[in-house]
Amino acid sequence: MTRWTGLLMVMALSAGSVSCDDAKPVKVTRALAKRTGPATMEIIPFEGQLPYCLLFTMSEKGVIRQLTLTRENRSIRCDANQPVANTRFRVPVQEGKVRVYVFFTDEPVQANWVARQLYELRDRERITAMDLRLPGHIFVETLEFTPETAAVADAGSTAPDAGARTRTVESGPR
């Protein structure tokens, strides 16, 4: 009887490990960078995201820009399937490809907290919510956007550029 119990236990454990190995983690896409012109984009959050967000870009040359600015310098309300701040954001062509960081939060957070931490983490290939020290729940979505000159862009994507307000994060000693 002991032999059969041991055999059944080994079979159950091996069957359980096979099903766990087959399960692949699912990558959740939280937002989309939609090209609206040669060097402009809209960031559109998908359904089911936390209600507030902050947008930053980091260029290949190391320039960090905050795209979402308010008087209080806090995260803004981001509605699903609507462009963030109903704005097209312009990316300077001379800075090259940028990584767009979208920080979704369950409560408004100070943008300078995020900017400071983003500057500290600038050398990392990938930044996750676990890397940040922020209150409440947070999700991070990293998107990429490559601005083009008007001559390189499609003839069909000649949407006018909207002058989006941006702020460059200072990169010197404080």
Side-chain angles (χ1 to χ4, degrees):
M1 186 78 158
T2 307
R3 187 179 293 171
W4 284 106
T5 305
L7 181 62
L8 288 174
M9 191 131 165
V10 168
M11 288 174 49
L13 289 174
S14 65
S17 66
V18 169
S19 63
C20 290
D21 290 341
D22 292 341
K24 295 179 183 174
V26 176
K27 169 72 170 111
V28 176
T29 303
R30 301 183 186 287
L32 165 74
K34 179 182 173 188
R35 182 178 297 276
T36 58
T40 59
M41 66 179 169
E42 292 177 336
I43 304 300
I44 303 172
F46 293 136
E47 286 286 334
Q49 301 315 308
L50 296 173
Y52 298 96
C53 71
L54 282 168
L55 300 180
F56 287 86
T57 60
M58 186 181 305
S59 73
E60 289 178 323
K61 295 187 177 188
V63 178
I64 299 172
R65 296 186 189 278
Q66 178 183 342
L67 301 182
T68 48
L69 290 173
T70 64
R71 290 182 196 268
E72 301 84 23
N73 201 24
R74 297 171 74 94
S75 52
I76 63 171
R77 189 97 181 142
C78 293
D79 298 322
N81 302 316
Q82 298 295 319
V84 172
N86 292 319
T87 302
R88 293 179 181 158
F89 300 101
R90 190 181 67 78
V91 177
V93 175
Q94 64 272 16
E95 291 179 12
K97 182 168 81 172
V98 296
R99 276 186 253 158
V100 181
Y101 292 104
V102 185
F103 299 95
F104 290 103
T105 60
D106 62 342
E107 59 187 76
V109 296
Q110 287 293 326
N112 58 341
W113 295 346
V114 177
R116 196 170 299 129
Q117 293 178 61
L118 191 57
Y119 176 74
E120 292 169 3
L121 299 168
R122 68 189 177 279
D123 295 329
R124 289 210 183 167
E125 182 66 29
R126 186 165 179 250
I127 296 173
T128 67
M130 293 297 291
D131 298 321
L132 302 170
R133 301 172 306 276
L134 294 172
H137 295 358
I138 181 170
F139 296 133
V140 179
E141 179 71 21
T142 305
L143 307 168
E144 290 188 354
F145 182 81
T146 305
E148 302 171 343
T149 60
V152 175
D154 292 347
S157 64
T158 57
D161 291 352
R165 295 185 334 162
T166 63
R167 181 178 80 181
T168 304
V169 177
E170 304 272 332
S171 61
R174 298 186 191 251

